[in-house]
Amino acid sequence: MKKFHYDAERYKLVICFLKILSILYWLALLSTADSYYIPYLIVGSCGIISVYINMDEKENFIKKEENFVVLAFSCLLSLMVASANYGIFTDNNVPENINIYFFGLYQKSLFILLFIGGFFAFKNLFIYLANRLRNYYWHKKVRLGYGWKVTSIYCISMFITSAANIFIMYNCYYPGNLTSDSVYVIKQALYGPYSNQHPYYYTKIIEFFLVNGKQWFHNINAAVAFFSIFQIIFMAACISYVIVTLYQMEVSWKLVLGCLIWYIIMPFHIMYSFSMWKDVMFGGFVAVYIVAVFRIWKKIGKYNYVNWFMMMIGGSGTCLFRSNGWFAFFLSFLCFIFLFGEDANKKKMILYLGGILGLTLILKYPVLYTLDVRQPDIVEKLSVPIQQIARIIRDCDDVREEHKVLLRKIVDVDQISEAYKPYISDPIKDLIREGDKQYLEDHKAVYLKLYLEMSLSHLDKSVEAWIDLTKGYWNGGYSRWKWLDCVEGKEELGLERTIHMKNLKGVLDGYFWMYDSNSFLKIFLCIGFHTWIIMLLAVLSILRKDKESFFMTIPLISIIFTLLITTPVYAEFRYIYAVFCCIPFIIVATFFKGNLGITT
C-alpha cells in the first residue's frame, strides 16, 4: 500500500512536470510571434502556477459535467493562439539538404506542441480560477458614504469625467480629433447627400451641433468643438450610469472609485471622448444597454420603469450607431431566447428586445429609403471574402481560367497581387471600385459561387487570409493602437488644431506615449487579451450556473463575432471600443448576488 501511494505521488509529479515543460516550450515558441508577448507571458506564468496548485486533488474538484466546458474553451483558446501564429509551423522554405517529408513532420510537431502547451496553460488557469471563484460574491460594504443620494453620486461622477475631458480638449486638442472619416461625415452633415456608410442618425446629431454652432459662433472650429463637448458629456453620462449602478450594488468604495479612475485616466477614454467617430457613442450605448438589463434583473433602483427606458435607449443606439450593431444585437437576442425562453419572468424582456429589433430595422431601411439615404455599396460589406480571393490570386498559380475571366469583369486581376495587404482590405476594395462594382451587384449569385469554389479549392490560403485580417480581435495584442491627435480637412473646411497650453499637451503626449512604449502598460491596449477576459468571464459564469452573468458577455461576444466576418482592418481599436467601455462593470457584475430592490 505504501509503495502504491509513493508511485501515485511520483506519477502526479511527473505529469505536473510534463505540463509545466509543455507550457514553457509554448512560451519559447511564441517568443517569435508578431504580437505583444506580455499576454502570452501572463497566461503562461499563471498556467504554470495553476498546474502546481491544481496538483493537489483536494483543490481540483471540477465536476464531470463542468469538465466539458473547461476542455472546450481551453481547446478553443489554444487553437486561437496557434492559428494566429501559423507562421511558426507553415514555413514553405525547406532548408537545403533536408528531407521534405521530415521537414513536414517537424512542422506538424510544432503545431501539436504549440496547441498542447496552450491547452495546458488555459485549462489549468480555468480550473484554478473556477475553484476559487465558483462561490465567490462581492460582500455588501455598508459604511460611511452609502447614505449619499444616487443623483448626487451620478452628478459628481459626470461632472468630474466631463470637466476633465473638456479641459483637456479645449487646452490641448481643440476642437477635437478629426480623421478623413470625420471630414466625410461633416461634409454630409453640411452639404449632403446622405449615406448610411456612416450611420445616418449619428450624422444628424453632428449636423445639429455643426449647424447651430456655426450660427452661434460663426466659426467651423467652434462648431466642431461644440459637438466635441456634447460627445464628452454624453460619454460621461454613460460612464456615470455604470458608476452609480456599482454604488447601488453596495460593493466596496475601492471598486467604485477604481472603476471611475480607470474611466478617467485610460488614454483611449480620454482621446476618444472628443474624437468624431461613430464608434465612441456606440460604445456608450452598449454600456448603457448591458447595465440597464442587469439593473432590471437585479431590481436595482427605485423606479424600475427608468431601467426599462434606459434599456430601450441603449439597445436602440446599439442597433443604429454601427452597421454591425443591429446584427450583434440580433445574435444576443437569439441567445437570450435560448437561455430564458421558458422563464416567465423574462418574457417581458423578450418582447422589449424584439420591439427594439423591429423598430430599429424600420429606421435602418424603410425610413432611410424614404429619405433617399444611400446604403453602403456592396464592396464595403465584402471585406473578408475579397481578401480571401486576393490572397489566392497572389499566392496560387493554379487558379482556374474561368474564375479569372469572371474576376476580370469587375477588377483588374493583374493589379491584385501588388495591391493586396494582408492586414487591411481597403486597397482591394478600392481596386474593385475602380472597376465595375455594379456588375458584381447585378450578379451576386455568380460571384458567391465563384467565392465558394475558390475558397474550398484553396482552403489553406483562404483560412490564412481570414486569420491575417481578423486575428487582432481574438489573439493577444498587436501594434495597432495610436492615440489620435489629428485634425484633417484644413483646406476643404478650414479645420485646424489650436493648442492653448503647450506644456500640458507635452505632458499628455508623453503619458499616452508610455502606453505605446512600456511593455507592461501595453496590456491595457491589447484587444485580443480583453477578448480572452470576456471568454474567461463567460466560462466562470457557466461553471457558476449563472445564466444572467453569462448573458452579460453575449452582446460583446456578438460584436466581436460580427467583426470576424466584416472587419476591413485586422486590429482597429475603435471597432472594439465597446468592450473597453463595458469590461469593468461586467467583471464586477459577474460576482454580484441578490435582488436588492434599492430605494435610495
Side-chain angles (χ1 to χ4, degrees):
M1 196 74 180
K2 228 178 195 184
K3 184 169 184 352
F4 175 78
H5 177 72
Y6 170 78
D7 289 341
E9 288 296 317
R10 185 171 62 179
Y11 174 77
K12 282 200 299 184
L13 285 172
V14 170
I15 295 299
C16 178
F17 172 76
L18 291 176
K19 289 179 180 178
I20 291 175
L21 189 63
S22 68
I23 296 173
L24 287 172
Y25 193 68
W26 180 72
L27 289 172
L29 286 172
L30 291 173
S31 63
T32 60
D34 61 350
S35 58
Y36 295 146
Y37 190 66
I38 292 295
Y40 304 135
L41 185 62
I42 291 174
V43 171
S45 301
C46 293
I48 289 172
I49 296 171
S50 299
V51 167
Y52 177 75
I53 296 174
N54 295 339
M55 186 174 60
D56 186 350
E57 289 182 356
K58 294 179 182 178
E59 297 291 331
N60 183 7
F61 56 89
I62 290 291
K63 299 175 183 176
K64 288 184 178 179
E65 61 271 20
E66 299 171 339
N67 200 42
F68 172 78
V69 175
V70 172
L71 290 175
F73 275 88
S74 300
C75 287
L76 176 60
L77 281 161
S78 182
L79 184 61
M80 286 162 59
V81 174
S83 299
N85 294 283
Y86 67 84
I88 293 175
F89 54 84
T90 58
D91 187 359
N92 294 321
N93 298 316
V94 182
E96 191 176 353
N97 300 326
I98 300 297
N99 183 278
I100 188 171
Y101 297 107
F102 174 82
F103 186 72
L105 183 63
Y106 169 73
Q107 289 190 312
K108 289 181 177 64
S109 68
L110 286 180
F111 167 75
I112 293 171
L113 292 171
L114 198 60
F115 176 80
I116 290 174
F119 172 78
F120 284 135
F122 285 110
K123 180 189 174 186
N124 282 277
L125 181 57
F126 282 148
I127 291 174
Y128 172 78
L129 292 175
N131 288 338
R132 274 145 190 81
L133 300 176
R134 183 194 307 273
N135 299 311
Y136 177 80
Y137 295 97
W138 303 118
H139 299 292
K140 289 185 180 181
K141 300 289 183 180
V142 181
R143 58 180 65 171
L144 184 64
Y146 278 103
W148 289 26
K149 289 184 181 269
V150 170
T151 51
S152 299
I153 297 295
Y154 184 85
C155 291
I156 290 171
S157 172
M158 186 171 170
F159 174 79
I160 293 173
T161 307
S162 58
N165 288 330
I166 289 172
F167 178 82
I168 290 172
M169 183 277 293
Y170 178 78
N171 288 294
C172 303
Y173 303 97
Y174 183 89
N177 290 316
L178 303 166
T179 64
S180 57
D181 283 350
S182 311
V183 173
Y184 178 74
V185 175
I186 291 173
K187 287 180 179 179
Q188 281 191 50
L190 294 178
Y191 313 118
Y194 295 109
S195 167
N196 201 42
Q197 181 170 340
H198 293 274
Y200 170 77
Y201 299 101
Y202 177 66
T203 303
K204 292 300 287 185
I205 291 175
I206 293 173
E207 180 181 323
F208 173 84
F209 286 94
L210 290 184
V211 170
N212 287 286
K214 286 184 71 176
Q215 182 178 348
W216 295 340
F217 308 117
H218 308 289
N219 183 286
I220 184 63
N221 289 286
V224 170
F226 188 31
F227 170 78
S228 296
I229 291 172
F230 158 74
Q231 185 170 274
I232 288 170
I233 294 173
F234 172 83
M235 292 305 296
C238 296
I239 290 168
S240 298
Y241 190 56
V242 174
I243 298 303
V244 79
T245 301
L246 295 176
Y247 169 77
Q248 290 179 287
M249 289 161 61
E250 297 184 5
V251 298
S252 168
W253 265 114
K254 294 178 183 178
L255 279 174
V256 178
L257 292 175
C259 287
L260 178 60
I261 291 170
W262 185 84
Y263 280 115
I264 291 173
I265 69 171
M266 282 292 108
F268 40 83
H269 288 312
I270 296 171
M271 297 302 284
Y272 278 15
S273 68
F274 45 83
S275 296
M276 191 181 284
W277 272 340
K278 58 194 174 185
D279 314 88
V280 179
M281 291 184 66
F282 175 75
F285 279 122
V286 173
V288 168
Y289 164 63
I290 289 176
V291 172
V293 169
F294 182 83
R295 290 174 66 93
I296 292 168
W297 281 338
K298 300 302 182 182
K299 298 179 181 177
I300 298 176
K302 182 178 180 180
Y303 304 107
N304 205 34
Y305 67 84
V306 175
N307 294 333
W308 288 96
F309 175 76
M310 295 301 291
M311 185 190 76
M312 293 188 68
I313 295 295
S316 299
T318 299
C319 291
L320 295 175
F321 273 65
R322 267 203 65 85
S323 55
N324 65 324
W326 191 91
F327 296 99
F329 194 91
F330 176 70
L331 290 175
S332 64
F333 173 69
L334 294 180
C335 291
F336 187 92
I337 293 176
F338 176 77
L339 290 171
F340 305 109
E342 298 180 358
D343 190 335
N345 296 323
K346 302 291 193 304
K347 292 290 177 69
K348 181 180 177 182
M349 189 169 287
I350 291 176
L351 293 176
Y352 270 76
L353 297 179
I356 291 170
L357 280 170
L359 174 63
T360 53
L361 188 64
I362 293 171
L363 291 171
K364 279 174 69 70
Y365 296 104
V367 171
L368 295 189
Y369 178 80
T370 302
L371 295 173
D372 198 28
V373 177
R374 292 179 291 112
Q375 295 293 341
D377 64 24
I378 189 171
V379 180
E380 190 66 29
K381 306 170 186 176
L382 299 176
S383 290
V384 173
I386 64 176
Q387 280 291 94
Q388 292 173 310
I389 290 176
R391 180 66 163 258
I392 293 168
I393 294 292
R394 191 195 70 170
D395 291 354
C396 302
D397 298 325
D398 59 343
V399 177
R400 288 158 50 182
E401 190 58 35
E402 58 264 34
H403 288 160
K404 288 185 178 180
V405 170
L406 271 175
L407 288 172
R408 285 194 176 97
K409 292 180 181 293
I410 62 171
V411 68
D412 186 346
V413 175
D414 297 330
Q415 294 187 46
I416 288 178
S417 296
E418 184 178 351
Y420 174 73
K421 300 289 186 292
Y423 54 86
I424 186 169
S425 65
D426 285 352
I428 301 297
K429 288 193 294 187
D430 292 340
L431 199 61
I432 294 175
R433 290 186 177 114
E434 292 173 5
D436 190 354
K437 67 177 182 181
Q438 188 58 45
Y439 191 86
L440 173 62
E441 180 77 49
D442 297 338
H443 299 82
K444 290 191 284 285
V446 173
Y447 284 95
L448 174 61
K449 181 183 177 184
L450 177 145
Y451 165 69
L452 292 174
E453 288 177 353
M454 289 187 68
S455 296
L456 292 174
S457 60
H458 302 88
L459 193 57
D460 56 339
K461 295 301 176 183
S462 181
V463 172
E464 286 177 9
W466 177 80
I467 290 172
D468 287 340
L469 191 61
T470 65
K471 62 184 179 181
Y473 302 105
W474 45 269
N475 176 61
Y478 293 84
S479 303
R480 186 65 189 175
W481 159 263
K482 290 289 182 186
W483 74 90
L484 190 64
D485 181 10
C486 65
V487 175
E488 297 191 16
K490 182 175 182 178
E491 295 180 359
E492 301 167 277
L493 298 169
L495 297 167
E496 58 183 342
R497 167 76 76 228
T498 300
I499 303 171
H500 296 104
M501 297 179 66
K502 292 184 179 180
N503 288 336
L504 176 60
K505 186 178 186 299
V507 171
L508 287 169
D509 285 347
Y511 172 66
F512 299 145
W513 166 80
M514 288 195 310
Y515 284 83
D516 283 333
S517 60
N518 185 283
S519 297
F520 173 75
L521 292 177
K522 281 181 181 179
I523 198 68
F524 293 104
L525 309 175
C526 292
I527 299 171
F529 185 72
H530 284 77
T531 298
W532 293 356
I533 293 175
I534 294 295
M535 294 177 69
L536 170 62
L537 294 172
V539 172
L540 290 176
S541 298
I542 294 172
L543 297 181
R544 290 156 63 93
K545 295 180 172 60
D546 187 344
K547 291 194 293 185
E548 284 85 358
S549 293
F550 175 68
F551 179 77
M552 302 290 285
T553 65
I554 294 299
L556 301 182
I557 292 174
S558 298
I559 291 170
I560 295 167
F561 176 77
T562 57
L563 287 173
L564 302 188
I565 57 177
T566 60
T567 181
V569 186
Y570 82 106
E572 182 60 59
F573 193 92
R574 63 188 174 104
Y575 291 170
I576 208 73
Y577 180 57
V579 170
F580 291 81
C581 289
C582 300
I583 202 164
F585 179 78
I586 292 181
I587 291 173
V588 177
T590 299
F591 304 103
F592 177 76
K593 183 179 182 181
N595 297 333
L596 296 181
I598 292 174
T599 58
T600 54

